[in-house]
Amino acid sequence: MTSIGLAQIAIVLIAVIVAAVPLGGYIARVLAGERSLLTPALSPIERAFYRLAGVDPTRDQNWLAYTMAMLAFSVVGFGSLYALQRLQAYLPLNPQGFGGVPADLAFNTSMSFITNTNWQNYGGESTMSHLTQMLGLTVHNFVSAATGLAMAFALVRGFSRAESPTIGNFWVDLTRSTLYVLLPLSIVVALALVALGVPQTLQGSIEATTLEGAKQTLAIGPVASQEAIKELGTNGGGFFNANSAHPFESPNALSNMLEIWALLVVPFATAFAFGRAVSDYRQGRAVAITMMIVLVTGVLIAYWAEASGNPLLTEIGVDPSPGNMEGKEVRFGSAMSALFAASTTGTSCGAVNSMHDSFMPLGGLVPLFNMLMGSIAPGGVGAGLYGFLVLAIIAVFVAGLMVGRTPEYLGKKIEVREMKLAMLAVLIYPLTVLVFTGVSVMLQTGLASLNNAGPHGLSEILYAFASATDNNGSAFAGLTGNTLWYNTTLGVAMLLGRFAFVIPVLAIAGSFAAKKKGAPSVGTFPTHGPLFIGLLLGVIIVLYLLQYFPALALGPIVEHFALLAGKTF
Amino acid sequence: MSHKVAAPGLFDARITKRAAVDAFKKLDPRRLARNPVIFVTEIVSAVVTAFFVRDLLAQNGAASFSGQIAAWLWFTVLFANFAEAVAEGRGKAQADALRKTRSDSHANRLIDPQNKSGMKDVYEGVSALDLRVGDVVLVEAGEFIPGDGEVIEGVASVNESAITGESAPVIREAGGDRSAVTGGTTVLSDWIKVKITAAPGSTFIDRMIALVEGAQRQKTPNELALSILLSGLTIIFLIVCVTLWPLAAYSGAALSITVLIALLVCLIPTTIGGLLSAIGIAGMDRLIRFNVIATSGRAVEAAGDVDTLLLDKTGTITFGNRMADELVPVEGVSERAFVEAALLASLADETPEGRSIVALAKSALGFSTPDLGPEAQIIPFSAHTRISGVDLPGRTLRKGAVDAVAGQVKSIPVDFERAVERISRAGGTPLAVSENGRLLGVIHLKDIIKPDIKSRFAALRAMGIKTVMVTGDNAITAAAIAGEAGVDDFIAQAKPEDKLAYIRKEQQGGRLIAMCGDGTNDAPALAQADVGVAMQTGTQAAREAGNMVDLDSDPTKLIEIVAIGKQLLMTRGSLTTFSIANDVAKYFAIIPALFVVAYPELEAINIMKLASPQSAILSAVIFNALIIIGLIPLALKGVPYRPVGAAALLRRNLLIYGLGGLIAPFIGIKLIDLAVSAIHLA
C-alpha cells in the first residue's frame, strides 16, 4: 500500500461525502414534495406526466396499494423489455443488424434490468441494438433506480409519519426520483465524461487502421449517457462487455475517480436524506458513518491484499511493488481497483474496472462479502437504505431489550409483526444464495460453466448468486453465465432478491406508519451515537459472518491459506 | 417492603428433584413444539440417535462418537426443559400454600336477597363451590369468606394474611373504598354481608394460583417477537447447514449427517431458546415474591416501558399525616413558654399531628412528658369548632385552625400574621395556640416527605422516567412539596377526571403511564393507564380496573415494579446477545474440524488448537449444552438492573454479554477439549 494510493482513496471518499450532504437534503425535499431548486423548470413536466397517467399526486397510498403499483410497474417493465429484445431485429436503430435475443437470455436480462441488477450474460456491443440499449436498458437504468429510491422513502415515511394509514404515492415518488434526482445528475455526469473523452454518438462503429496497417473495427455508441446512469443509478450494466475497464467507458484515472464518485454519491446522500426526513440529522449521519466504516474496511483489506502482490509470483522473481496486477488496468492500479471493487459491491452497482476473478483470494473476498451482506455499504440507490434499515431494526430489537424496554427505533415500537416481516426479508438472502449455490455444485450443468476448479470455482458460483440476489450484477467472471441453467436461476435469484425482500419491507413501512411515535427519553437509548454505530457494525458483521462463514471457508479463505502454502488449484 | 416472601434457594433440593423429573416429561414433542429452537434440537437428537443405533449395529467404529453426540444433544434438550421446570417449580411451592386456603368451605347464602317483606332474612347452608355471582352470603366471626365479593352490609375486621402475608387485620365495611373482600380470608370479629362478584374457580386466589404456577402462561408480546427472531435464526442456520453438505461434497469432503447436526445445534440459539420461558416465569415470580400480582405477563413487560409515573402525594411521597416542623412564638412570648403551652395543649391529642407536636417539643427543648394533674379538663377536637385544648387550674390552653383560634382572642399581633402567611406560602398548615385568650404563637405543620423518596426520584429520572405528583392541595402547596420531593411535575387540586385527562394527554404524546390507586373513582384512570396497580385494600372496582394488584398496598412499589419489568426484558436481550455471540467461537472449533481432510490448510483457523476433529466437535456440543445449565441462575435471578441511562446500560450489557459471549466459548471449548482428550472420549 502506498501513501499515494491511500490519498487517492481518501480524495474520492471525501468528495463523495462533501457532495452527499447537500444532495441528501435535496433528495429529502424532493421526495417530501417540497419546493426545490429545479421546481420551476421541472414541475410543468411533472404535472404533465401525472395528467397523462391519470395520477392524482396528492393522494397517498397505503402500503398494499403502494406495493401493487410498484409490482405492476415492474411487470409491465419486464414484459416490454423482454419483447423489445426478442423483436429487436425487426425494429429500427439496429445499425449492426443484430438478431433477436434468445429467450433465456432475454428473460435473464429483463429481470436483471427491472431489478436494478444489470447482470449481463451478454456482450452489450455484440448483442443489443441501439434501440434496445436506449429505449430498454437505459430507461430501466433510470426507473429501476428510481423505484429503489421510492421504496426507501416509503420506509422512511413509516418512521416519519405517525398514526397514518398511508406511506406515499408510488407514481409520484417514481416520477420525482427520476425527474428531479437521477436525470439532472446524469446529464451533469455524462457531460463531464464526454469532456474526459468518453464517446457519445449514434454511430455503430468506426474503422481504424492500426500501426501495423491492419484494419480494426471499434464499437462505439451513446456511451457517456449510459455510463452516467450506470453509476449514478447503481446499475452497473456497461455499454461494453469489459465495463469500466474499457477505455471508451473510462479513458483515464480522472474518469475512473468520477465514476466511483458517481456510484457512491446517491446512496450516501440517501442516508443523509433519511436523517432529514425523520427530522433528526444525526440519525442519517449515524447510518452514513456506519456504511462508510464498512466500506472503508473493505477497501483497505482489498487494497492491502492486492498491493501485497502474489507470493507465488514474487517467488519466481516478479517485482511485487505494483501489487497483483493480473486483471487490472495499468491506468488505475491496485488502489483505485480496490476502491472500485469495494464500492461497486458495497453499492449494488456491479460495474467493474478490473477483473474481480483475478483478485487475490482475500481481495476477492471483499466484494463477495460486501454482496453477501446485501450491499449495504452504502448500498444501491434506495435499496441500500432500506436494506440497512431492516438490519438496524434487528439490531435495535436486541439492543432495546438489553436496556429493558420494548425495543423502539425512532420512536416506533418493534413488535411481533415488524419482527416477522424483518426476519422474512432477512431470510431471503441466505435462502436464495446458499440454496442455488448448493444445487449448482451438485449439478453437472452447474459445474460445466466453471473455468476454475477447487475453491476458486466455488467462489465463482457463490459470487454469481450473491451478485444476482443482491441485485448487484458484477461478475467474478470465470463463470459462463449464458447457459439455460444460469440464465434461469440467476434471473429467479434477482427476482427474489428484489421483490421477496422489498415486499416485507413495504409492509413494515405500513405497519410503522400506523403506529404512534414514542417520545424519546433517557430510558430509550440513542440511535445516533458511536455506541449505536458500534452495535450496528457488530450485528452486521456477526450476523453475516455466521451465515456465510462455512461457504467462505471453502472458497476464498481456504484458497488464501493454500496460496500461502504454495498450493494452487 | 414489609414482608417479602423469601425466595427459595436457586437450586433448592426439593424443587430441583421435581424439575429433573419434569424435564423428562417435557420431552413430549407436542409440548416442545411451543419452543421452536428446542423442538428442532429434539428432532435432530432423535435423528442422531438413529445414526448411533445404525453405527452400533454396523460396528463401523463410529458408534462411540455418534453416541456421545446424541447423548449431549439430548442433554441440551433436557437442560432446557430443566430450566423451565425449575422456574415453574419455584412458583408451584407457593401455589400449594395458596391452594390450602381455597378449602371447600361452607357458606350461608341468603335465600331472598330482595327481602322486602320486612321479615327476618333466611339463610341456607351451601358449599362455597355452589355460589354464583350475585349471591349474598353472611359471614360471621371465625368464618372463611367463601368467595370474592363486596361488602353490602356490616363492618368486620378481616385477616387477609392468606394472600398478603400480613397478619394485622384490616377493616372491611359496606360502602366506601374498603368494601372488597377476597375469598379465602377470615373474618375475625363482627359480621358482614357479602355480595359475591366472582364465580368459584375464577376468584382472586384461583387466578393467583394459576399465575404462580404458570399453568395458563401465554407468551407475552415481546417474548413472541423474540421467539420470531430466534426461529428466523434457526431457519437461517438450517439453510446454512443443509447447503453445507453439497458445498462440502464439491470440495471433496463427505460430511456425515451427525457432524452437520452437531454444527446445526451449536449454531441455532439453543441457549436463549432453552432459557426463554424460564426467564418469563422467573420475572413473574419475582413480582409475586414482591407481593404484586400481575393479571398478565403483558403488564409486566409494559412496566419496563413506563415513561411517566403518576403518584399520589399522600402516602407515597409524604407520610400520610402532616407533622409539626417548627414552633414560632409571637413577640413578647418566650420560646420556652410557647413550647410548653403547645406541649400541654397537645398532650391529650391522640391524632398524628398532636403526637408530632409533643415529639417536636420534647426533642426541641428537652421537655419531659409533664403530668397534667387530676384537675385537668380535656377539650377534645371537634370538627365544628376546629379547636382542641385543655383547661388547667388558671390556664385555658387552646390549639386549632388559625381563624378559629383567632376568633377567640382579643388582639392579633402583626408578627403572628406574618408567620402564618409565611407558613401558608411554603405549603404548610399553620396552627394557632392561645392561653387565656392571648395568642402565643404558631405551629408549623408540614407534609413530611419520606426520607429516601428524593433519591428514588433521582434514580427514576436517571432511568428516563418522569414522576408526576397528584394531590388535592392547592397549587402553591403542591409546588412547594413537588420542589422538595424532586418530582418533575404535579397536578394540584386534582379531581379523579384530572388524572384521567393527564394520562390521556401523556399517552397522546407517545408515553406509557403507570399509576396506582385504590378508590372506585380511581378505576377509570387505572384502566386507562398502561400499568395500573390497584391496592389490595382498595375497592373491587379498582382491583378489576388495574392490571396489577399490590397485596401490601404500598404505592411506592411502582418503582420496583418498573425495575422488575425492565429486568425481565434485559435478561432476554442479554442472553440473546450472549447466545448469538457464542456462535463465532463454535465456527472456529468446528469448521476446521469438518474440512481438515479435504483442506488441511484450514488447520490455520483452528486457533484454539483443539486436539482432534472429533474432540473439537464434541467439545463444542458439550459446551453448548452445559452453558444452558450454567446460565439458569442468571435466567432466574435476572440481569441486575441499575438506574442509569439507557446508553450506559447498553454499553455495560454489550460489554458483558456481547464481548463476554464472544470470548467465553473460546475458553470453555478449549477446557472441555482438554478434558475430553485427557480421558480419551474422542
Side-chain angles (χ1 to χ4, degrees), chain A residues 163 394 397-399 401-407 413 415-416 419-420 423 426-427 430-431 434-435 437-438 441-442 447 450 452-455 457-458 516-519 521-526 531 535 542-543 545-547 549-551 553-554 557-558 561-562 565 567 569, chain B residues 221-222 224-226 228-229 232-233 235-237 239-240 243-248 250-251 304-307 461-464 507-512 566 569-570 572-574 576-577 580 583-584 587-588 591 595 599-602 604-605 645-647 649-651 653-654:
Chain A
E163 296 171 85
I394 293 172
F397 182 79
V398 177
L401 286 182
M402 276 198 283
V403 303
R405 282 179 73 97
T406 299
K413 282 206 163 25
E415 290 168 300
V416 174
M419 211 55 207
K420 259 186 203 158
M423 287 316 285
V426 167
L427 265 176
L431 186 70
L434 290 176
V435 170
T437 306
V441 298
M442 282 198 292
L447 293 175
L450 282 179
N452 295 79
L458 185 67
K516 279 187 192 167
K517 205 169 165 67
S521 75
V522 196
T524 48
F525 78 92
L531 186 66
L535 174 82
V542 169
L543 194 64
L545 201 65
L546 291 181
Q547 289 178 33
F549 188 76
L554 294 176
I557 295 177
V558 70
F561 287 116
K567 196 164 139 195
F569 296 90
Chain B
N222 171 267
L224 269 177
L226 181 56
I228 287 162
L229 174 73
L233 288 174
I235 297 172
I236 288 176
F237 289 125
I239 296 169
V240 169
T243 55
L244 187 56
W245 189 82
L247 296 190
Y250 166 89
S251 307
D305 290 348
V306 162
D307 299 290
R461 198 165 304 117
M463 286 154 74
Q507 285 173 336
Q508 208 59 45
R511 280 175 286 271
L512 264 73
K566 284 192 178 296
L569 296 181
M570 272 172 54
R572 280 190 200 138
S574 301
T576 304
T577 309
I580 296 171
D583 283 4
V584 175
Y587 265 142
F588 278 94
I591 293 294
F595 298 115
Y599 292 132
E601 299 84 7
L602 280 180
I605 54 173
L649 212 53
L650 179 62
R651 192 174 305 124
N653 286 336
L654 264 184

Side-chain angles (χ1 to χ4, degrees), chain B residues 32-80:
Chain B
L32 264 188
R34 270 166 56 95
N35 184 341
V37 181
I38 300 302
F39 184 60
V40 167
T41 313
E42 182 176 40
I43 292 175
V44 296
S45 305
V47 174
V48 176
T49 310
F51 278 106
F52 163 63
V53 173
R54 183 202 67 181
D55 291 342
L56 211 58
L57 296 176
Q59 296 196 321
N60 56 7
S64 155
F65 180 68
S66 54
Q68 289 187 68
I69 294 284
W72 281 103
L73 295 185
W74 282 114
F75 278 135
T76 311
V77 180
L78 286 172
F79 290 167

Side-chain angles (χ1 to χ4, degrees), chain B residues 7 12 61 296 350 404 474 516 588 595 632:
Chain B
D12 179 272
S296 70
E350 280 302 317
N474 63 45
C516 49
F588 278 94
F595 298 115
I632 289 178

